[in-house]
Amino acid sequence: MTPATPLWEFVDITKAYPGVLANDKVCIRLMPGSIHGLLGENGCGKSTMIKTLSGVQQPDSGQILHHGKPVTISDPQAARELGVATVFQEFSIVPTLSVGENIFLGNMPRSRFGVIDWAKVHNEAARVLAEMDVDVSPEAITGSLSVGEQQLVEIAKAVAMDARMIILDEPTAALGEDEIERLHQLLRNMRERGTAILYVSHRLDEVERIVDEVTILRNGCVVRASGETNINVSEIVSAMVGEDIGEHYPKEQNATKDIVLEAAGLATNSGVKDVSFSLHRGEVLGLGGVLGSGRTEIARALFGTDELTGGQITLNGKPVRFRREIDAIRAGLALVPENRKFDGLFFNFRASGNVTAASLGGLSRFGVLNLKAEEQATHDLIRDLEISTQAEEKTVNFLSGGNQQKIVIARWLFSASDILILDEPTQGIDIGAKIAVYKLINRLTRAGKSIILISSDHDELLAMSDRIAVVQHGTIVRTVDASDLTHDDLVRASADTPQSKPKEAFA
Amino acid sequence: MKRIFDTQLIGPFAAMVIVALIVALTTERFLNPGNLSNLSLQVSIVALIAIGSTIVIFAAGIDLSSGSMVALLTMILAQMLKFVGIPLVLALPLILFMGGLLGLFIGLITAYGRIPSFITTLAALIAFRGLALTFNNGSPIFSLDPALEPIFYGKLFGVPMPFFYLVFFYVLAAFTMNFTKLGREIYAVGGNPAAAVLTGINVRKVQTTTFVIAGFMTAVGAILMSARLNSGSPNYGQTLELQAIAAAVVGGASLAGGRGNILATLMGAMTIVIVQNGLNLNAAPSSVQNIVLGLIILLAVGIDMWRAEISGLMGRMFGRTSSQQSSNVKKEA
């Protein structure tokens, strides 16, 4: 399957930033028709490597060979001309433009008079999408598509420019199970056609499924490069972390019989309908379901963000009504939102401002903040949760994703909330930080707090939840003990089963 | 204290000192006590209004209305003093109240009407100037009250009164921004409004409050303007809103919101006024003054934006190379 000459060879690539050696003599060989996994924890030098490969920055030293000939990738344009396409973690599509326009952005087909040839834009885009087996109209406004579809449009850009090498940085971070499968099928098709694919991901189960070869980085160096097709997850993990990490999911059973929160027949205009469940003290209730099934909307309904059009929330036996978020916060609820960058963190604040943001009322007297108490509490939480001590002095945009996520959770530790809704709490953070979040969940439940966990990582959801409520089309279709479910059960239960479709038609 | 006098002040302070040195070198008259006292008079009105403009900017808004609001409020004050016969001690608090009220009005439309503040205050900029013209058939009103002038020209212990207003309001503003719940909420709303909502901060109320503060500070500026000229005029305060915003920007406030130091705005205002003063002393025409002011704004924001590149350049110029860079040099050689 693999021809003898590599398409690209990166030899002894070294790149230093002030104070850090981000890449130290990294070598990667990419074969045509092969999917190459680039793995490692946050801060291991993956992003630096991607930037070098895509021409965003220049290496300090090292050699780049294309078809065996030395080349320099002076800028992203040069990378494009050499057939390298990069799909960055943060999408580079313009949401207000059509799919066709996005696919040909910066490279619009022109007619004779220099005018954009719209017929060609749409026909070509339609051809590319059909080739990829993606059922999206080239005329659709990209922002109106699901995140998964937007991701596919992003890849369509690479296909349209006939890239011989595609770099995918965390392509599945925002995708649901069926969308991931679609993406993987697409990648396999591209592999058949001889494209070299560099696949960067934190989701190791996926890596195992799709990758032909791996390169694992740690502290800027290659710790493992393998041409073997069968490398298992635990080997990868120990190579990445550099030690045996022990139990991946350190679940504790802390659930009790007392019911702290009960939802009956909740409905909102954002698509939540007839949601009923109960949450016990010390319990982790997992919400499973595909992307867009309404899990985040249920969280918003509980937190007072979306107005309830029906139903009743009962807290410790008393009926409550949250008109705004502050009502829910005062009642002891907390929400760690899905996208910490978008609506979780204040990047203009250091850790302290982020930690106390939801408790400013309690921290102040007559409107004057107790800054000493703030610094002390932040200091303690940073030590306690093993957050980088840089967070005390620097604004949080300088921190890694794992540290950032811990700070968002620390906010709700500081506010002494009793019920925490964690929406995708481990998305885009490395394994070490994930385990830290799991331990934090244990600590919270041990202290009698209750957790509603939303996660698209099925293994995580199964392992960390006591019970799992399966969400479909904005409602909970059934609730079962996590121990009674297997990974496959959950995938099947979350997916739109044929039996449920006729019911939908009547609804 | 460490928090107020943080590194954000170093740049604007250095800029102010450098500008003052240059001006002092070009004209001897700059350091005359008379000129320095005149300087504090000149800077006072724009610097006081800039407190409000800056706080609005901290919450990721913009206030274009202050110049026109000054004209409107001086006309209302003149009308009250000259034609209605309201005594000064009553008229002044009324003006301050009206300033806050106009700000509240703008704030409510902006925050609850979900109209960008650029638009609401642009509308106010135009409408307030029009409103000011409806008084006294659009003519200025002179000789308002002999007791008005000392508010601006009076001295305490030989120091001009505006100096004390500046100290009072800047201390109050710095305290509010750095030590109070309101200040923190303003920075939070400017930094990330979506996150502020989810932490239970009443974003709309905070945004509205910033405009009330801006309206109030504009009223303070309007009173000083009237006192300075003992008159009211629909033509006062032209481009004052832009000078106030310029002071904030030169002081390093980010127009994206959430970042900046209120005391740096005072330095920004001083820098601008010192440059104007220097050009005045050198008999430069007002056209040149405007061109220079434009360049200063560009330079101030530019320096902020290109900070990384500039420090890299400085490093190379003064031989502060890291080991990595020197090894590169070796390879190239």
Side-chain angles (χ1 to χ4, degrees):
Chain A
M1 194 174 86
T2 37
T5 52
L7 180 62
W8 284 94
E9 266 185 288
F10 301 90
V11 186
D12 288 347
I13 300 293
T14 296
K15 175 79 190 174
Y17 296 122
V20 219
L21 193 55
N23 283 155
D24 188 7
K25 299 201 168 150
V26 173
C27 300
I28 296 180
R29 251 174 23 157
L30 295 168
M31 310 300 282
S34 163
I35 300 177
H36 193 115
L38 180 62
L39 310 173
E41 294 215 275
N42 284 338
C44 69
K46 277 179 312 196
S47 307
T48 308
M49 199 60 206
I50 295 169
K51 281 185 192 155
T52 305
L53 305 192
S54 55
V56 173
Q57 66 185 17
Q58 298 303 307
D60 295 332
S61 64
Q63 210 180 16
I64 301 174
L65 303 173
H66 183 224
H67 288 304
K69 284 193 269 314
V71 290
T72 49
I73 310 177
S74 51
D75 53 52
Q77 185 61 40
R80 230 167 291 156
E81 278 156 18
L82 287 164
V84 178
T86 310
V87 178
F88 285 104
Q89 205 172 349
E90 263 87 44
F91 291 167
S92 54
I93 52 163
V94 184
T96 49
L97 295 183
S98 74
V99 169
E101 283 171 289
N102 266 303
I103 290 176
F104 291 103
L105 200 63
N107 188 24
M108 286 280 188
R110 307 275 176 101
S111 67
R112 259 177 306 168
F113 306 107
V115 179
I116 291 170
D117 186 347
W118 285 109
K120 198 172 173 197
V121 169
H122 289 134
N123 291 338
E124 278 292 292
R127 186 187 61 75
V128 169
L129 292 168
E131 188 182 309
M132 290 168 54
D133 201 18
V134 173
D135 183 24
V136 166
S137 160
E139 272 137 275
I141 297 301
T142 317
S144 68
L145 304 177
S146 76
V147 182
E149 287 169 331
Q150 293 185 20
Q151 179 74 276
L152 294 172
V153 171
E154 190 83 24
I155 293 167
K157 280 166 75 172
V159 175
M161 60 175 267
D162 204 21
R164 304 310 303 151
M165 165 175 157
I166 294 186
I167 302 167
L168 297 158
D169 188 6
E170 292 270 352
T172 57
L175 301 192
E177 191 71 27
D178 49 343
E179 286 168 322
I180 293 175
E181 195 34 61
R182 230 162 117 194
L183 175 71
H184 282 180
Q185 194 48 51
L186 180 62
L187 295 181
R188 286 188 203 104
N189 292 346
M190 290 167 86
R191 172 170 65 188
E192 290 297 303
R193 269 180 266 124
T195 310
I197 296 163
L198 188 69
Y199 191 93
V200 182
S201 180
H202 277 306
R203 293 201 181 167
L204 299 180
D205 54 328
E206 270 174 30
V207 169
E208 205 178 23
R209 250 154 57 196
I210 189 157
V211 160
D212 300 315
E213 299 170 276
V214 292
T215 297
I216 300 173
L217 298 182
R218 189 168 77 236
N219 298 332
C221 304
V222 175
V223 289
R224 182 146 183 180
S226 90
E228 45 195 307
T229 39
N230 283 323
I231 180 164
N232 70 40
V233 169
S234 67
E235 280 178 86
I236 295 176
V237 170
S238 46
M240 277 167 58
V241 183
E243 58 188 283
D244 193 4
I245 52 160
E247 183 56 65
H248 193 146
Y249 297 108
K251 168 70 182 162
E252 283 179 18
Q253 307 289 337
N254 291 317
T256 64
K257 288 250 183 304
D258 326 344
I259 290 177
V260 287
L261 182 140
E262 203 158 16
L266 302 188
T268 66
N269 286 330
S270 57
V272 174
K273 46 186 190 247
D274 199 23
V275 164
S276 304
F277 66 90
S278 58
L279 180 68
H280 297 248
R281 190 179 309 285
E283 181 188 36
V284 179
L285 176 68
L287 296 188
V290 295
L291 206 78
S293 58
R295 295 168 303 172
T296 298
E297 286 73 15
I298 292 173
R300 290 167 63 90
L302 289 173
F303 201 58
T305 301
D306 292 346
E307 198 192 343
L308 289 183
T309 53
Q312 180 64 53
I313 300 171
T314 311
L315 206 61
N316 297 315
K318 287 192 207 85
V320 287
R321 185 142 202 99
F322 302 142
R323 283 174 42 249
R324 283 209 316 268
E325 291 84 357
I326 189 72
D327 300 333
I329 292 168
R330 287 197 182 123
L333 265 73
L335 175 66
V336 173
E338 180 177 7
N339 190 332
R340 63 181 169 270
K341 287 199 172 109
F342 178 67
D343 50 16
L345 288 162
F346 298 100
F347 286 108
N348 52 332
F349 289 161
R350 296 172 296 139
S352 53
N354 277 289
V355 165
T356 58
S359 324
L360 292 176
L363 193 69
S364 54
R365 270 186 77 185
F366 305 114
V368 180
L369 295 172
N370 185 345
L371 296 181
K372 240 186 205 150
E374 176 179 58
E375 290 299 332
Q376 188 56 51
T378 307
H379 180 82
D380 293 347
L381 280 166
I382 283 176
R383 197 193 45 211
D384 233 24
L385 306 186
E386 292 169 2
I387 297 167
S388 160
T389 50
Q390 285 195 325
E392 287 196 72
E393 295 302 324
K394 286 186 173 173
T395 49
V396 296
N397 51 326
F398 292 103
L399 302 177
S400 70
N403 279 310
Q404 290 179 350
Q405 188 65 290
K406 284 186 201 169
I407 286 176
V408 181
I409 298 175
R411 174 182 299 160
W412 303 110
L413 292 182
F414 182 72
S415 71
S417 304
D418 296 319
I419 298 168
L420 285 88
I421 306 166
L422 308 180
D423 196 351
E424 303 285 1
T426 63
Q427 196 176 83
I429 64 178
D430 62 47
I431 294 175
K434 278 183 186 180
I435 292 171
V437 169
Y438 302 145
K439 288 187 173 153
L440 201 48
I441 290 176
N442 285 337
R443 199 177 112 171
L444 288 162
T445 52
R446 211 182 305 138
K449 319 237 175 213
S450 310
I451 290 185
I452 295 174
L453 176 65
I454 300 174
S455 176
S456 296
D457 183 335
H458 288 132
D459 291 332
E460 167 183 299
L461 196 67
L462 283 166
M464 291 311 298
S465 306
D466 295 296
R467 288 183 306 149
I468 290 179
V470 179
V471 181
Q472 266 178 23
H473 303 295
T475 196
I476 292 176
V477 289
R478 63 187 177 127
T479 307
V480 284
D481 281 347
S483 52
D484 294 346
L485 277 179
T486 65
H487 184 107
D488 286 351
D489 289 339
L490 184 56
V491 172
R492 231 172 297 125
S494 322
D496 204 353
T497 50
Q499 292 97 307
S500 72
K501 262 186 181 157
K503 241 190 267 168
E504 273 304 303
F506 287 116
Chain B
M1 291 318 261
K2 177 178 130 197
R3 187 185 301 264
I4 304 187
F5 299 103
D6 61 6
T7 48
Q8 292 182 59
L9 285 183
I10 296 172
F13 185 74
M16 184 179 80
V17 170
I18 290 168
V19 165
L21 278 175
I22 293 170
V23 173
L25 287 175
T26 54
T27 58
E28 290 149 14
R29 278 179 298 163
F30 176 70
L31 290 175
N32 281 353
N35 186 53
L36 287 179
S37 150
N38 186 31
L39 215 57
S40 80
L41 293 182
Q42 253 186 49
V43 80
S44 61
I45 295 176
V46 62
L48 286 167
I49 290 173
I51 290 177
S53 314
T54 307
I55 289 177
V56 169
I57 288 172
F58 284 161
I62 190 97
D63 181 13
L64 299 172
S65 71
S66 50
S68 295
M69 200 193 284
V70 163
L72 175 60
L73 291 174
T74 64
M75 281 309 279
I76 294 175
L77 180 64
Q79 187 84 12
M80 287 196 295
L81 293 175
K82 188 98 175 183
F83 300 127
V84 187
I86 295 173
L88 191 64
V89 284
L90 201 64
L92 294 185
L94 267 175
I95 288 298
L96 294 176
F97 177 75
M98 278 185 212
L101 202 65
L102 290 174
L104 176 69
F105 190 58
I106 293 172
L108 289 176
I109 296 174
T110 306
Y112 292 87
R114 296 190 304 278
I115 299 173
S117 57
F118 184 90
I119 299 302
T120 53
T121 62
L122 180 66
L125 163 88
I126 298 164
F128 288 169
R129 186 73 65 188
L131 265 174
L133 283 163
T134 62
F135 292 91
N136 199 33
N137 296 320
S139 303
I141 305 170
F142 297 105
S143 312
L144 303 181
D145 192 321
L148 197 55
E149 287 190 348
I151 293 174
F152 188 78
Y153 291 107
K155 287 188 175 178
L156 194 65
F157 314 118
V159 180
M161 288 304 289
F163 175 81
F164 295 102
Y165 310 145
L166 281 177
V167 171
F168 175 75
F169 283 112
Y170 269 94
V171 167
L172 188 65
F175 179 79
T176 304
M177 289 316 297
N178 294 295
F179 293 105
T180 70
K181 179 167 174 262
L182 174 65
R184 186 65 67 81
E185 288 179 341
I186 289 170
Y187 278 124
V189 166
N192 188 345
V197 167
L198 289 184
T199 49
I201 293 171
N202 191 336
V203 172
R204 287 174 177 169
K205 191 169 139 195
V206 171
Q207 285 170 335
T208 306
T209 308
T210 63
F211 283 98
V212 174
I213 294 170
F216 182 87
M217 290 315 299
T218 302
V220 172
I223 289 171
L224 290 188
M225 186 73 93
S226 273
R228 182 182 193 175
L229 302 156
N230 198 12
S231 60
S233 166
N235 296 319
Y236 287 165
Q238 309 254 18
T239 74
L240 199 53
E241 69 283 342
L242 298 182
Q243 291 178 45
I245 292 167
V249 168
V250 171
S254 160
L255 287 182
R259 287 172 207 267
N261 185 313
I262 189 74
L263 293 181
T265 294
L266 178 60
M267 292 169 191
M270 298 275 282
T271 306
I272 291 169
V273 169
I274 290 170
V275 169
Q276 285 174 336
N277 182 255
L279 292 168
N280 259 331
L281 294 176
N282 284 310
S286 67
S287 54
V288 173
Q289 295 195 16
N290 283 337
I291 295 169
V292 172
L293 180 58
L295 290 175
I296 290 176
I297 294 172
L298 212 56
L299 197 67
V301 177
I303 288 173
D304 202 39
M305 289 289 163
W306 311 318
R307 197 177 282 163
E309 286 89 338
I310 291 171
S311 68
L313 191 69
M314 298 284 238
R316 250 168 286 152
M317 278 169 68
F318 300 111
R320 219 189 51 203
T321 47
S322 69
S323 59
Q324 191 54 43
Q325 276 168 324
S326 55
S327 76
N328 265 355
V329 174
K330 258 180 252 156
K331 269 189 197 110
E332 279 162 18

